[in-house]
Amino acid sequence: MLETKKFTFAEVAIDPSLRLTDKTFHYRIPTRLKASIQLGTRVLVPFGRQRLEGYVVGYSSHPEVDRVKNILEVVDETPVLNEEAVRLARWMSDYYLYPIPVALQCLIPPGLRRQEKIVVTLKLSDEVGHKLKETLNILDPVSGRVLAFLTETGRVPLERLIKKFPSQNLQETLNSLRELGLIEIEKLYTDRLKKKFRRVVELNKEVVGLEQDLEELAVRSPKQKKVLQILLEQGPLLLNDLLDLAGTSYSTVKSLIDKGFIVLNKVRVEEDFLRINKASSVKPVELTDDQERALRSIQNALAQRSFSVFLLHGVTGSGKTEVYIRAVEQVLKLGKQAVVLVPEISLTPQMVERFVSRLGSCVAVLHSRLSLRERSNEWQRIHRGEAQVVIGARSAVFTPVSDLGLIIIDEEHESSYRQDVMPRYHARDVAIQRARYHGALVLLGSATPSLESYTKARLGRYALLCLPNRVENRPLPSVEIVDMRQELAAGNHSIFSRCLQGKMRQHLEQDRQILLFLNRRGFAHFMVCRECGFVNRCSRCAVSLTYHRVEGQLRCHYCGYQEPVPVTCPKCGSRYLRSFGIGTQRVEDEVKRLFPDRQVLRMDVDTTTRKGSHEEILTAFRQGKASILVGTQMIAKGLDFPEVSLVGVITADIALNTPDFRAHERTFQLLTQVAGRAGRGSFPGEVVIQTYDPANPSIVAASRQDYLAFYKQEIALRRSTNYPPFSRLARLVISGGEEEQVIEAAQRLALDMELQIIKKREEEKVPVGELLGPAPAPISKMKNRFRWHIMVKGPKLAIIRELLRDVLDGWKVERAGKNSIHISVELDPMEIL
DNA sequence: AGCACGCCGACT
DNA sequence: GTCGGCGTGCTC
């Protein structure tokens, strides 16, 4: 630990949310502030000619530059960032090769960034008053009116002035007035989160004999009577709730207020008032022997209070969640806190409900749909120690718990734990780092562990726990692989094989539910002209446009560009345009055609953009409002529909045919997960996988839910090709608006790297590895920027990182203008696009 | 953000 | 020859 007292200078990261700079700066710590400054303390510093907030991220005993300024003030009494946060940021900066302030963005509490408010004040000295009279007649009319307004009000937020004087040159007017010394323009900082008030309606206590009044009201004003009745029965209510309950509008309430029957109060709402916590009413289920065994190992490790990593490998439906909950209960007993990470996609109300109903109000939930305020409230609850358990997606790994005992990462293999925009990080890496700091336990869970994690478990680096059976001895679903080439040969041109069609009919007759999975949204993959072969492509990205029939649009799935479906070929004018490949819209259409009397729901990015629509669809399906749910990845993972007895995979090949060494792994994981959705209730499940490659080992292994078979075959392949986990990868993406510049930069960079690799090998005897590329990236143009990439493959990530640090020093990485060259660094890249 | 520095077009 | 455009870089 660093002892503040010894150091005279502090290294400060200027508030990273301002995105002003990626560098850190050094300031002298004035003696009077020495006692109150720690790592993480928010301080006010002079920066250029402005005063900005920043965070102390380090100390030094010597000034690092000639002219060091003083820290002006300490901002918070209790630091919003602690030492662990700063250390974690430093580690991320070191590990992922970006500056500390960039890393710090992950750790600054949401909603802390304050909002600038500009206030205009009239200067009211005698001298100015004199000047005013002098100049008033030579000023333009707008200035005159602004001044008159200011004389009335004295001090006005700029916003109000803009509303009052909506002329375009207001800014100019204000500037000239300032130059004349008539007004002052100040910047104030206020919390972005306004204090929240709720309007609460209650009966006026001074009114007596209300019952009689009710009778009178009933004649002319039934709505008003209703409102009063509700208030009589239920006591004070939120205005909105009251309006909902009474089925009326504010005018009714207003007349009752005017008549003096009721009063409207503004109440400052403490957020707990809005929280709904289901009391614990769920009976803990009995554990299977396997669960019991796994839990005991975890409990023993927790009692040790030292860092370790467990991998819980449990088949789908084996009751991993129950083990998680019990482990969390144990952590709470030890007086520590737990963080539970789940993929965003499975962070559904049902999932949360399960934790909340068992663990109660000590659970805080963080997911992407929370507003800034809601998110901030959850952070505060955790920060204050009111919540001991956090459930959330990737970014929840940073929640500021003070005494961390356990981090659970459910569906450990999910690629969504990797953030691939700056600041890049992998929640698993961060979790392990945090657990090390706290002497905590990391519990990775999956039915289909990543090859990396499973290998580490086999090597003894992680402790391996297995749940090989489903709970209540439910059988694994029976899976049938259908060869779609044979379907075609037999004259079946439908997107459904005869087998799948038959089974759908059968399961529908028994009133069961069906999931149909397809990894591509839209109606068709692309459109092609049958005369000249022209395919509509996105002009900003080097990909074909996907046909969305319902909207009548062609859309780019990378940048969101869309255009109407052309009637004739834009190239040759032919009217014979044909769509190729299938998407979820097409599946939905076909199902409706085949089973017109059945309800079908579709769930993909296109149907879930609206807030809450995701939950709406799932709830509707769970309640049995539809028999068939068609969807993409979204329906593949973590969902628990007890009534689903049949799962159909329309095409298993899409994930298989991506140009990526992880394609097989992803296919296996996806198919196993999808298949796992079937038969989670009391009746056995059936799965049909349609493919053009029925002998593919990954598909076969998935059909048997046989992870070990998959692992053995895939690990052999990785060994022979020297891909991870046998090596480590890093990837540089060079992009820019001018293709030649991009190519030139990529080649120069690659040459630098090549020379450095040789130098390290010859002079330092360090085996860095090999260079792959430079080459155009698989998506060679995205959002109007050309993309090339270079890969480094070597035995040790630390050495690769060292190489990149050496070479990239002198290149401007990440931060660059609109058209200039831009280099991004990805370590252990997942998807190589 | 704000400000300085610097390199090319239209002007007293 | 100078004034000023805004592209680029820096602020401890």
Side-chain angles (χ1 to χ4, degrees), chain A residues 485-772:
Chain A
R485 292 171 305 186
Q486 282 184 18
E487 291 295 311
L488 214 56
N492 177 10
H493 293 268
S494 155
I495 60 171
F496 301 120
S497 59
R498 292 159 294 179
C499 167
L500 181 54
Q501 254 184 64
K503 287 202 194 295
M504 282 168 74
R505 193 152 281 134
Q506 209 180 309
H507 284 253
L508 287 176
E509 270 163 23
Q510 292 167 33
D511 271 327
R512 303 269 164 76
Q513 287 184 306
I514 299 174
L515 283 185
L516 294 178
F517 171 81
L518 181 64
N519 212 1
R520 188 187 289 127
R521 64 200 169 91
F523 184 82
H525 189 197
F526 55 87
M527 283 203 117
V528 62
C529 170
R530 290 167 88 176
E531 305 244 323
C532 73
F534 178 80
V535 175
N536 282 280
R537 297 182 157 272
C538 177
S539 59
R540 316 200 302 148
C541 314
V543 294
S544 55
L545 295 172
T546 303
Y547 174 38
H548 287 243
R549 208 195 60 160
V550 181
E551 298 84 358
Q553 299 278 340
L554 295 177
R555 285 188 186 162
C556 171
H557 284 186
Y558 287 96
C559 73
Y561 166 84
Q562 51 181 307
E563 64 180 46
V565 177
V567 185
T568 56
C569 172
K571 197 175 164 206
C572 72
S574 156
R575 293 178 58 240
Y576 297 100
L577 297 174
R578 204 201 125 128
S579 57
F580 258 97
I582 48 176
T584 44
Q585 283 187 4
R586 170 86 193 279
V587 177
E588 185 190 10
D589 271 25
E590 292 289 315
V591 173
K592 282 181 174 160
R593 216 172 42 82
L594 264 142
F595 306 103
D597 54 332
R598 293 291 178 162
Q599 287 301 308
V600 185
L601 285 167
R602 173 164 60 92
M603 191 158 134
D604 54 34
V605 179
D606 300 309
T607 62
T608 53
T609 44
R610 220 183 65 247
K611 185 171 169 157
S613 50
H614 191 258
E615 287 76 24
E616 271 169 40
I617 296 173
L618 291 178
T619 307
F621 189 61
R622 185 164 285 113
Q623 289 171 351
K625 288 182 181 155
S627 309
I628 300 157
L629 177 63
V630 178
T632 53
Q633 322 256 1
M634 277 182 204
I635 64 165
K637 291 159 187 173
L639 300 174
D640 199 342
F641 300 112
E643 298 302 315
V644 168
S645 59
L646 176 64
V647 168
V649 179
I650 307 300
T651 310
D653 309 328
I654 295 173
L656 206 54
N657 294 323
T658 52
D660 183 345
F661 73 91
R662 271 188 251 261
H664 287 93
E665 185 175 358
R666 264 207 301 281
T667 302
F668 174 79
Q669 286 164 348
L670 203 54
L671 292 180
T672 309
Q673 298 286 339
V674 182
R677 299 310 109 213
R680 296 178 78 91
S682 44
F683 28 82
E686 283 191 279
V687 179
V688 177
I689 298 175
Q690 303 187 149
T691 173
Y692 290 91
D693 188 8
N696 184 290
S698 303
I699 294 178
V700 174
S703 77
R704 300 195 184 125
Q705 303 252 312
D706 188 348
Y707 180 80
L708 268 182
F710 163 76
Y711 179 83
K712 280 181 187 150
Q713 148 233 320
E714 182 67 15
I715 204 81
L717 193 68
R718 300 279 179 94
R719 186 183 285 119
S720 66
T721 50
N722 192 30
Y723 267 111
F726 296 97
S727 63
R728 301 298 289 270
L729 286 177
R731 177 186 186 229
L732 301 178
V733 177
I734 301 97
S735 65
E738 299 288 336
E739 192 166 20
E740 309 87 80
Q741 281 180 29
V742 173
I743 298 171
E744 210 250 355
Q747 284 169 344
R748 255 187 33 231
L749 194 55
L751 187 63
D752 277 8
M753 291 167 77
E754 195 67 73
L755 292 174
Q756 190 70 14
I757 289 173
I758 292 167
K759 191 177 143 207
K760 287 212 188 247
R761 189 173 56 220
E762 305 285 309
E763 291 174 19
E764 300 166 38
K765 306 281 176 227
V766 178
V768 181
E770 57 175 319
L771 210 63
L772 310 170

Side-chain angles (χ1 to χ4, degrees), chain A residues 29-47:
Chain A
I29 307 172
T31 323
R32 69 184 166 91
L33 294 179
K34 271 208 173 145
S36 46
I37 284 179
Q38 294 173 294
L39 280 185
T41 304
R42 188 156 56 149
V43 290
L44 191 69
V45 292
F47 187 74

Side-chain angles (χ1 to χ4, degrees), chain A residues 430-455:
Chain A
V430 176
I432 287 173
Q433 196 58 25
R434 287 201 72 187
R436 260 186 226 284
Y437 181 90
H438 286 276
L441 196 145
V442 176
L443 175 57
L444 309 173
S446 178
T448 54
S450 63
L451 255 76
E452 281 88 345
S453 292
Y454 200 75
T455 304

Side-chain angles (χ1 to χ4, degrees), chain A residues 333-463:
Chain A
K333 261 186 227 154
L334 294 169
K336 296 186 164 210
Q337 294 121 34
V339 172
V340 181
L341 302 184
V342 297
E344 178 73 47
I345 220 155
S346 51
L347 193 55
T348 55
Q350 288 78 31
M351 163 86 196
V352 172
E353 170 80 1
R354 230 174 128 182
F355 272 85
V356 173
S357 64
R358 285 282 289 282
L359 299 165
S361 62
C362 67
V363 179
V365 184
L366 295 170
H367 56 83
S368 65
R369 309 249 160 147
L370 292 182
S371 67
L372 190 60
R373 160 159 291 278
E374 291 168 319
R375 187 174 299 268
S376 169
N377 285 330
E378 293 298 79
W379 267 67
Q380 293 305 325
R381 269 172 20 93
I382 300 151
H383 197 68
R384 288 196 298 259
E386 289 166 26
Q388 284 84 39
V389 182
V390 185
I391 305 182
R394 181 175 64 221
S395 62
V397 76
F398 295 106
T399 36
V401 296
S402 54
D403 195 5
L404 183 68
L406 171 68
I407 303 184
I408 293 172
I409 304 186
D410 186 33
E411 309 294 354
E412 160 289 319
H413 60 278
E414 275 290 317
S415 58
S416 66
Y417 286 121
R418 162 176 300 275
Q419 172 150 54
D420 50 18
V421 294
M422 286 290 257
R424 291 191 179 79
Y425 66 90
H426 196 300
R428 198 205 298 135
D429 301 341
V430 176
I432 287 173
Q433 196 58 25
R434 287 201 72 187
R436 260 186 226 284
Y437 181 90
H438 286 276
L441 196 145
V442 176
L443 175 57
L444 309 173
S446 178
T448 54
S450 63
L451 255 76
E452 281 88 345
S453 292
Y454 200 75
T455 304
K456 280 186 179 146
R458 283 171 56 113
L459 292 172
R461 305 256 305 273
Y462 298 168

